[in-house]
């Protein structure tokens, strides 16, 4: 069974530069980091001209389908009939993208089949992680 899910999505860029009406983005989930989701934007869609990856909680993405969520760098909320707004706040500026909610739901279903919500902690190997930290400290 795969431990990684990657799903391309079409993001409609609302506020950022350079201006592009829609951009291909990728949602990414890795069972080894079960609480997190990553969304990657290609270089042409960013101010720096390099690929940009945002990491945020899977729970934030799930909750943002139903109501406004997030108070930090990433905020998610429903918009209209079948759109979800993701806001990415950085010192350089704010990017606001719309993604079809059906694409997000499909991605979240796939992540839920890989690691059911509420059971993320079972994927963590705390003994291994602690051993790695201790090894690096010496």
């Amino acid at each position: 069974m795969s431990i990684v899910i990657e799903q391309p999505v079409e993001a409609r860029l609302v506020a950022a530069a350079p201006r592009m009406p829609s951009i291909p983005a990728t949602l990414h989930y890795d069972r080894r980091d079960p609480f997190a989701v990553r969304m990657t934007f290609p270089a042409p869609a960013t101010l720096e001209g390099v690929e940009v990856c945002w990491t945020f909680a899977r729970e934030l993405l799930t909750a943002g389908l139903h109501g406004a969520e997030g108070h930090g760098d990433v905020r998610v909320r429903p918009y209209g009939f079948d759109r979800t707004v993701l806001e990415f706040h950085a010192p350089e500026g704010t990017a606001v993208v719309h993604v079809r909610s059906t694409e997000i739901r499909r991605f979240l279903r796939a992540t839920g089949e890989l690691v059911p919500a509420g059971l993320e902690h079972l994927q963590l190997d705390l003994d291994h992680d602690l051993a790695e930290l201790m090894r690096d400290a010496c």
Side-chain angles (χ1 to χ4, degrees), residues 1-78:
M1 173 184 252
S2 175
I3 64 168
V4 174
I5 295 170
E6 287 191 347
Q7 178 180 314
V9 296
E10 182 180 313
R12 182 172 302 268
L13 204 51
V14 177
R19 296 181 189 272
M20 297 176 69
S22 67
I23 56 172
T26 303
L27 288 168
H28 179 94
Y29 181 79
D30 188 331
R31 184 169 65 187
R32 294 170 295 193
D33 191 5
F35 292 100
V37 167
R38 292 194 329 255
M39 189 167 193
T40 305
F41 296 93
T46 68
L47 292 172
E48 299 82 18
V50 297
E51 182 178 272
V52 172
C53 183
W54 286 83
T55 302
F56 50 97
R58 174 171 70 161
E59 183 178 20
L60 174 67
L61 189 59
T62 302
L65 288 170
H66 307 288
E69 293 291 332
H71 301 284
D73 295 342
V74 179
R75 300 171 192 174
V76 183
R77 68 180 183 278

Side-chain angles (χ1 to χ4, degrees), residues 112-129:
E113 290 173 9
L114 188 60
V115 178
L119 299 179
E120 295 91 349
H121 65 283
L122 298 177
Q123 302 300 314
L124 302 176
D125 186 351
L126 296 178
D127 291 333
H128 175 266
D129 294 343

